[in-house]
Amino acid sequence: MSVAASGYLRIEASNVDAWMDFGTDVLGLMDARREDAQGARFLRLDEHPFRFMIEPGDGDRLIAAGMEYPTAAAWQATCDALAAAGHEVTPGSAEQAKRRCVTAFASVKDPSGNQLELYHGRELDYVPFNSAAGVPAFVSSYQQIGDLGFGHFVLPAPETEATIAFYTDLIGTGITDTLYPPGMEGVQITFMHANNPRQHSLALFNGPHPAGVVHIMVEVETMDELGRCMDRAKAAGSHFLATLGRHVNDNMCSVYLLAPGGIAVEYGYDGLLIDPETHVATVSTEGDLWGHEYSFPGVNE
Ligand SMILES: [Fe+2]
């Protein structure tokens, strides 16, 4: 296993300004204020140059997820293994790498069609994190700046078994937990960790999703910061997709909000850290210790 962390997300937004307002005013992320020829804007949550690239487009969906490798050699070995297994691996140009603030990257699709950008050599500019909403910090570091990744994300994986194998055998994740949520016949969510202590860096849902991502998660350091975000979300009129609750497997105490355009964002604190070398994969038949009552717009709100 060699993938280091979930590094960044590229998100297509039909209203980039609205997404940025949500990102800064409600979530408390930092506008990186970077110029971009293609009209993208960038959100930071730590010393990394950006964690979310918000790109203008017709829809609201995940474009690609950036996965970080610890060395050029580990990255190259992964690209070679993917190509040898018959996957189309497309190297990024120097100009495209510069836009992503990485030394090199390559694009590949998983068997369910999710686009990944595998990279190594992220540039750190050490600009201090400064949240206009007053969030002191997001949880992204353990032993080294940003080594826990930005948080986690959940991908649709209708080609479930092939997609799980793609990540465990080729990308380099380990399975942390497999959840069969009660009352949701046939639903399976496979939680996976990278080579860092975050309990899961990504998860796979065994069905399709129109946004190309089931949810993304960012983590703050205290209950009070979560509560303050809930106040900001209420004041901004954000839709709460789920009430406050605590997950069983990563212990995350969180709420779920809908970003403008409909991508779900989990905002949590108190996430579990594991030893990725010794973790024993579990199977859960309950998703939450308490809370997390869902209200889908137009369905059961
Ligand atoms: Fe989550």
Side-chain angles (χ1 to χ4, degrees):
M1 185 179 69
S2 67
V3 64
S6 297
Y8 63 82
L9 298 178
R10 292 176 54 206
I11 293 168
E12 178 181 317
S14 57
N15 186 339
V16 171
D17 289 344
W19 224 108
M20 289 298 291
D21 288 347
F22 173 79
T24 54
D25 299 349
V26 176
L27 303 182
L29 302 169
M30 177 181 175
D31 183 347
R33 300 192 183 286
R34 257 180 69 192
E35 297 288 328
D36 185 74
Q38 289 104 307
R41 294 180 67 187
F42 300 84
L43 289 164
R44 307 172 62 112
L45 56 76
D46 57 12
E47 288 84 347
H48 278 234
F50 72 91
R51 292 296 196 171
F52 304 119
M53 186 191 297
I54 312 299
E55 306 182 48
D58 295 334
D60 290 277
R61 65 184 184 95
L62 181 68
I63 299 170
M67 303 299 290
E68 182 165 67
Y69 285 81
T71 62
W75 173 77
Q76 189 63 59
T78 302
C79 292
D80 291 348
L82 284 161
H87 296 280
E88 192 174 330
V89 180
T90 308
S93 68
E95 190 182 341
Q96 289 170 325
K98 191 169 168 23
R99 186 178 188 223
R100 290 154 178 77
C101 307
V102 299
T103 302
F105 79 101
S107 299
V108 66
K109 276 188 164 60
D110 75 20
S112 293
N114 302 298
Q115 183 87 23
L116 301 180
E117 296 181 352
L118 314 179
Y119 71 87
H120 72 91
R122 195 105 200 262
E123 297 167 6
L124 303 181
D125 58 16
Y126 300 98
V127 171
F129 176 73
N130 185 358
S131 164
V135 177
F138 284 84
V139 175
S140 72
S141 301
Y142 183 65
Q143 290 177 313
Q144 193 181 339
I145 287 172
D147 59 355
L148 292 175
F150 70 80
H152 69 236
F153 62 110
V154 183
L155 292 174
E159 299 296 328
T160 309
E161 290 310 313
T163 307
I164 292 170
F166 173 88
Y167 284 94
T168 56
D169 299 352
L170 296 167
I171 297 299
T173 56
I175 293 178
T176 320
D177 182 51
T178 303
L179 167 65
Y180 298 97
M184 299 173 78
E185 189 69 32
V187 171
Q188 173 187 328
I189 306 171
T190 308
F191 296 87
M192 295 177 164
H193 60 85
N195 194 19
N196 73 62
R198 195 185 285 283
Q199 197 266 359
H200 60 274
S201 290
L202 77 118
L204 301 173
F205 161 69
N206 67 335
H209 195 287
V213 65
V214 179
H215 72 259
I216 65 181
M217 193 284 308
V218 293
E219 182 179 0
V220 286
E221 293 179 316
T222 65
M223 179 72 217
D224 289 337
E225 287 309 319
L226 169 54
R228 293 183 69 228
C229 174
M230 293 171 68
D231 284 352
R232 295 192 300 270
K234 198 171 174 193
S238 301
H239 179 84
F240 282 70
L241 185 66
T243 60
L244 188 65
R246 191 187 286 274
H247 286 305
V248 292
N249 60 14
D250 68 350
N251 201 51
M252 194 70 73
C253 184
S254 58
V255 292
Y256 288 69
L257 304 171
L258 284 188
I263 289 180
V265 179
E266 181 183 7
Y267 200 90
Y269 96 104
D270 214 16
L272 184 68
L273 298 178
I274 60 164
D275 180 346
E277 298 297 330
T278 60
H279 182 80
V280 175
T282 52
V283 177
S284 296
T285 57
E286 180 57 74
D288 301 293
L289 290 169
W290 53 269
H292 284 151
E293 185 182 336
Y294 288 87
S295 99
F296 295 95
V299 179
N300 67 337
E301 64 179 339

